[in-house]
Amino acid sequence: MFLGCVTSPEGRHRKNVKYLVHDLKPFEEHIRRLFELAAGCLSQEAEAEAESKQSTDASDESRCDPTSALFQHKTPVPMMGRQTYRMWKATLELSTGFVFKSNLLDKPKTLHFFPLEHFPPSVTSGFQVQGYDHLLQYLVHFLQVYFPNLEVILEPLHDVNTDLELISRYHSKTNKKQFLVTDLYAKLHKLTGTQKKDFILGFTWTDLYPKEELNFVLGEASFQHRCAVLSFGRYEPLSYEARDGGCMMEDVDAENENEEESIVVDGDLLWKLLRVATHETSHLFGLNHCVFFECSMNESKSVSEALAQPLVLCPVCLRKMQRFLKFDVLARYRGLLGTCQTLQDAYPSDGLAKTIDWLQRCIEFLS
Ligand SMILES: [Zn+2]
Ligand SMILES: [Zn+2]
């Protein structure tokens, strides 16, 4: 019998858990406790916090203490843009139709990682992390650890510069070539001869733009097309703006002639690639931008914003990903921790250091 009233703290907590991450019966107690943290973003404390923030314009100090809380919720969580676990699941079922839903949710899944252009050997082969001496092979390895039970295949080069019908432009400020990303992801299955049921992650050396009136995008994914594309993001127009002290961009092409040669694989570059690759791949599995917590699936309006966001998923997004790939939550975190530590030894970055700290705290919470 259901005794808890929804206005009591316990009843309210139970209702919020159900609303955000749905039924947790299939999970063991310690995993359930992790998912239940989702309710923190809609708790009475969170509402009181949001109210005090509104009335006093309080600074970020009023939010959860980052040294103790595993997940920092948004304050307040906006009504718009919420994608709960059930909403996500309904999207998957509607997109494939009732007959095919089991194919998407319960069948094995494959992601084809396609290099879409030649990358300079200094960038790809100059790379060295225990067991890996090629950047692209390493990226595929990392995705495999981040997305357990997804088969990730490194495909041979498919040079899209030979596909003459693809739409590109030269950016008016940087004078650098950019591919129209929406055109790429709509055509890549056909161009590469990949089965429609499989997912594609394409990787370009050339920059990308999302639509004519917009400058630049590091990556973009289409759930509908089952295809995502990311780029090295070498010529973000905003970086030229910053270099000019915040003034509007002027003609800067003369000083960038040797930009390609000056690219070095360091911790910051790897952090950027891993952040974007994992975020875009998660979109392929139907995850929308997250408005509940600080989360890998937060929307970003600039590269710097994307880099400041976490590599890990909040409990709501993790619930979706776990259902999609059916991995062991704790084993995944342990695998990620080992992989991140090995990478940090060779190519340190602040983002990875924070991720390692978080993974250690989370594993402790689950153990
Ligand atoms: Zn996104
Ligand atoms: Zn999230």
Side-chain angles (χ1 to χ4, degrees):
M1 190 196 291
F2 181 72
L3 295 169
C5 166
V6 289
T7 54
S8 73
E10 300 77 38
R12 191 186 161 97
H13 172 80
R14 213 170 3 231
K15 189 173 160 234
N16 286 339
V17 168
K18 184 108 180 156
Y19 167 64
L20 292 165
V21 290
H22 199 50
D23 183 12
L24 298 177
K25 275 195 217 91
F27 297 100
E28 290 173 69
E29 172 64 24
H30 59 296
I31 305 296
R32 219 180 294 163
R33 280 198 299 127
L34 184 77
F35 286 130
E36 282 176 0
L37 294 177
C41 71
L42 301 177
S43 66
Q44 272 167 322
E45 295 78 38
E47 276 177 20
E49 223 177 280
E51 262 171 41
S52 81
K53 194 171 184 179
Q54 275 167 357
S55 60
T56 62
D57 194 29
S59 71
D60 283 352
E61 283 165 34
S62 68
R63 303 176 65 175
C64 303
D65 176 7
T67 57
S68 60
L70 276 179
F71 301 105
Q72 286 192 65
H73 60 78
K74 301 284 185 186
T75 313
V77 172
M79 287 305 294
M80 286 281 287
R82 291 183 182 188
Q83 187 196 40
T84 65
Y85 171 77
R86 290 188 78 177
M87 289 173 185
W88 165 80
K89 198 155 171 276
T91 305
L92 286 196
E93 288 166 1
L94 280 173
S95 72
T96 49
F98 185 75
V99 177
F100 298 112
K101 76 173 181 182
S102 62
N103 286 345
L104 198 56
L105 274 173
D106 297 324
K107 291 270 171 70
K109 299 160 187 83
T110 302
L111 177 76
H112 301 267
F113 185 98
F114 272 102
L116 299 176
E117 292 180 288
H118 285 284
F119 294 89
S122 61
V123 170
T124 51
S125 312
F127 177 83
Q128 194 66 249
V129 168
Q130 197 181 14
Y132 294 89
D133 57 7
H134 195 281
L135 177 62
L136 301 188
Q137 285 167 1
Y138 185 79
L139 289 177
V140 165
H141 160 69
F142 194 93
L143 290 170
Q144 192 70 86
V145 175
Y146 192 94
F147 299 105
N149 298 337
L150 174 71
E151 183 188 22
V152 190
I153 300 172
L154 177 57
E155 298 288 354
L157 169 75
H158 176 94
D159 191 346
V160 286
N161 291 288
T162 60
D163 298 318
L164 297 177
E165 77 273 25
L166 284 174
I167 301 170
S168 62
R169 72 176 183 189
Y170 285 83
H171 191 275
S172 60
K173 302 296 180 192
T174 64
N175 273 332
K176 301 296 179 186
K177 185 177 175 179
Q178 296 180 310
F179 285 118
L180 178 62
V181 66
T182 48
D183 186 48
L184 263 178
Y185 63 52
K187 293 175 180 166
L188 275 181
H189 276 83
K190 196 164 172 221
L191 288 173
T192 58
T194 303
Q195 289 189 64
K196 281 196 176 145
K197 71 174 180 60
D198 287 353
F199 299 94
I200 290 180
L201 179 60
F203 189 30
T204 67
W205 181 241
T206 299
D207 279 355
L208 306 168
Y209 70 104
K211 52 176 112 166
E212 197 48 55
E213 59 275 26
L214 293 176
N215 262 333
F216 173 87
V217 70
L218 264 177
E220 198 158 292
S222 167
F223 167 63
Q224 181 202 347
H225 292 98
R226 297 195 182 185
C227 186
V229 186
L230 69 136
S231 82
F232 250 84
R234 292 171 301 149
Y235 303 116
E236 185 203 11
L238 280 175
S239 63
Y240 295 98
E241 212 172 334
R243 198 180 294 174
D244 288 343
C247 303
M248 284 311 291
M249 294 171 283
E250 290 166 13
D251 197 282
V252 288
D253 47 355
E255 61 180 273
N256 296 310
E257 276 174 8
N258 295 320
E259 200 88 12
E260 280 194 17
E261 287 74 38
S262 70
I263 300 260
V264 279
V265 178
D266 60 11
D268 291 337
L269 174 75
L270 282 160
W271 173 253
K272 178 170 80 173
L273 295 178
L274 296 176
R275 268 284 303 127
V276 181
T278 50
H279 176 97
E280 298 305 336
T281 304
S282 302
H283 275 318
L284 287 181
F285 306 151
L287 275 73
N288 285 356
H289 284 140
C290 175
V291 298
F292 300 109
F293 289 91
E294 303 294 328
C295 171
S296 167
M297 291 314 290
N298 290 154
E299 185 175 20
S300 57
K301 297 215 159 48
S302 67
V303 174
S304 56
E305 207 181 343
L307 300 188
Q309 290 162 351
L311 187 70
V312 292
L313 298 164
C314 79
V316 184
C317 295
L318 180 73
R319 175 77 176 94
K320 302 169 197 170
M321 189 67 76
Q322 197 285 334
R323 174 62 186 90
F324 197 73
L325 297 174
K326 295 183 173 173
F327 48 72
D328 177 321
V329 172
L330 183 54
R332 173 176 178 266
Y333 281 143
R334 287 191 172 129
L336 258 181
L337 177 61
T339 304
C340 289
Q341 281 170 328
T342 309
L343 181 60
Q344 182 74 346
D345 289 343
Y347 294 97
S349 66
D350 288 348
L352 216 50
K354 282 185 197 148
T355 306
I356 289 167
D357 172 66
W358 187 90
L359 286 166
Q360 284 168 335
R361 289 191 295 119
C362 187
I363 289 167
E364 201 177 317
F365 176 89
L366 289 171
S367 303

